[in-house]
Amino acid sequence: MKKFVNRYKFFLVMVLVTIGLYIIDPIAGDKAVDTIGFSFKELLSVLPPIFVLLGLLDVWVPRETMVKYMGEGSGIKGILISIFLGSAAAGPLYGAFPLAGVFMKKGVKFSNVLIFIGAWSTTKIPMFLFELSALGTKFALTRLIASMIGIFVIGHLVDKAIKKDDVDEIYANAAQMNV
Amino acid sequence: MMQTIIFYALAIGLLTLSFFKDKQKTKKSLKKAVKALENMMPQFLGIIILVGVMLAVIDPDMISKLIGSSSGWYGTIVAALVGGVTLIPGFIAFPTAALLLQGGAGYMQVGAFVSSLMMVGVVTVPLETKYFGKKVTMARNILAFLYAFVVALIIGKVMGEL
């Protein structure tokens, strides 16, 4: 029980905050509950297949294969695969982190992991279609192109700014993690 | 929606294939999947509620006043900050952005908002840190935040606001 409370501390505090909001301002409380319900449905619909694929990837795909396609020396092929996997993904950015963890565990090059995260965050195809209809072609296309460039700029700068020791530590941590 | 269906089809298909090839391995991978999901659940649930409460408290009228098209770089900074600290699902974010535009917000400001919304995640920093450590997480979020201004600048030029 104590362990549960400790792990779900953040969640429990947020539940109390929501109840507090409801008492102070029932209209805002209703709105919050609506949004939470919506996001929860999104979470439940999007996450299960991602985690099933993550489990299969971890068990079936050997490290050597991942290294070959996305590791050191995978060059432009590795970059393209990283962009493709990130852009084809569904779901919010926080779903990308566990996958990135498995990638690192399997020896995917750090800059490719960063590109994957970048692509997941900003160039998702269905999101783009959504943006197109909501904000117009000119706006959406300009932002897509600017973001594409940004993924590489940010990935490159982070890669350069972080010492090799720190990257090694992150990889060691990923290898130990329960996915 | 379409994509979710594709993901399910892919997951179920590969799982079936895996099951016929090796039952033990399939069991192991499912165990890993459940464990990884359970591992993340507390964070996921906390984030969802935090976002819901934030969206309920933040008033769109107030935002559009702060980031109107005449608000210039000041409004762009506000927009990027709001985008950075909130985490709004895309299907809410883009209609909201469209509403902001109708409410008088500028393209530059909306560009900064959308860009930092998607790339910067203050509420997910603890989760990101778990996988990437403090340094990478900070560096990535700060750079993504700064890049939102580059996007704003480019959009401002293209849309003829600058």
Side-chain angles (χ1 to χ4, degrees):
Chain A
M1 186 60 198
K2 207 175 161 193
K3 206 178 147 207
F4 174 84
V5 171
N6 206 23
R7 282 195 63 211
Y8 283 83
K9 212 165 31 191
F10 175 40
F11 167 70
L12 294 171
V13 168
M14 286 318 300
V15 170
L16 290 179
V17 170
T18 313
I19 295 169
L21 179 68
Y22 218 104
I23 295 167
I24 300 167
D25 184 348
I27 296 171
D30 260 342
K31 224 175 123 191
V33 171
D34 271 358
T35 315
I36 293 164
F38 220 94
S39 307
F40 190 67
K41 264 188 236 150
E42 190 199 27
L43 179 100
L44 283 186
S45 68
V46 162
L47 287 182
I50 292 181
F51 278 83
V52 166
L53 290 172
L54 179 153
L56 289 171
L57 174 76
D58 199 21
V59 170
W60 280 102
V61 182
R63 194 183 152 86
E64 298 76 54
T65 312
M66 291 293 280
V67 171
K68 188 179 152 205
Y69 288 105
M70 295 170 81
E72 297 293 336
S74 59
I76 188 92
K77 181 178 61 191
I79 294 173
L80 290 176
I81 295 173
S82 305
I83 295 178
F84 173 76
L85 290 178
S87 302
L93 184 58
Y94 52 72
F97 299 133
L99 262 178
V102 179
F103 282 2
M104 291 192 280
K105 191 174 164 189
K106 295 273 181 190
V108 169
K109 197 177 165 189
F110 192 54
S111 60
N112 284 343
V113 174
L114 292 171
I115 289 171
F116 167 75
I117 292 285
W120 186 306
S121 73
T122 195
T123 58
K124 285 208 295 288
I125 298 151
M127 282 297 137
F128 177 70
L129 297 178
F130 218 145
E131 184 174 359
L132 214 60
S133 61
L135 299 173
T137 315
K138 207 170 162 190
F139 181 96
L141 262 185
T142 309
R143 209 188 62 77
L144 181 73
I145 294 164
S147 301
M148 277 281 188
I149 299 165
I151 291 168
F152 288 100
V153 173
I154 294 166
H156 183 76
L157 289 177
V158 172
D159 199 28
K160 285 279 162 278
I162 304 300
K163 286 195 221 81
K164 202 183 165 297
D165 288 357
D166 291 321
V167 176
D168 289 346
E169 200 180 305
I170 294 165
Y171 272 67
N173 176 45
Q176 275 179 2
M177 260 192 172
N178 258 314
V179 183
Chain B
M1 221 39 235
M2 194 56 212
Q3 209 174 14
T4 312
I5 296 168
I6 295 173
F7 259 70
Y8 271 90
L10 194 66
I12 293 168
L14 288 175
L15 204 60
T16 314
L17 188 70
S18 168
F19 183 78
F20 282 117
K21 284 202 129 183
D22 189 333
K23 287 196 178 88
Q24 276 308 317
K25 273 194 170 180
T26 310
K27 221 172 132 188
K28 203 174 151 198
S29 67
L30 274 179
K31 255 192 190 156
K32 281 197 183 225
V34 171
K35 213 167 173 188
L37 186 60
E38 206 277 327
N39 205 6
M40 306 270 62
M41 248 333 159
Q43 300 270 8
F44 284 160
L45 291 176
I47 290 168
I48 282 179
I49 303 184
L50 177 62
V51 172
V53 170
M54 262 162 71
L55 288 181
V57 175
I58 294 170
D59 176 16
D61 276 353
M62 191 182 77
I63 297 177
S64 56
K65 257 181 220 139
L66 284 172
I67 62 175
S69 55
S70 57
S71 60
W73 283 106
Y74 164 74
T76 310
I77 293 171
V78 174
L81 282 174
V82 173
V85 296
T86 45
L87 187 147
I88 310 174
F91 54 84
I92 301 179
F94 292 124
T96 307
L99 276 180
L100 290 177
L101 276 178
Q102 281 167 23
Y107 279 106
M108 237 175 100
Q109 291 79 11
V110 170
F113 171 72
V114 172
S115 187
S116 102
L117 181 68
M118 300 188 96
M119 298 178 94
V120 183
V122 172
V123 292
T124 49
V125 158
L127 194 65
E128 194 171 347
T129 308
K130 258 179 116 173
Y131 288 94
F132 286 104
K134 271 200 187 111
K135 285 181 198 165
V136 172
T137 303
M138 290 317 278
R140 194 194 71 78
N141 279 285
I142 291 169
L143 286 168
F145 178 73
L146 295 176
Y147 197 77
F149 295 99
V150 177
V151 174
L153 184 73
I154 295 170
I155 285 182
K157 286 259 189 240
V158 172
M159 304 307 284
E161 279 179 354
L162 280 175

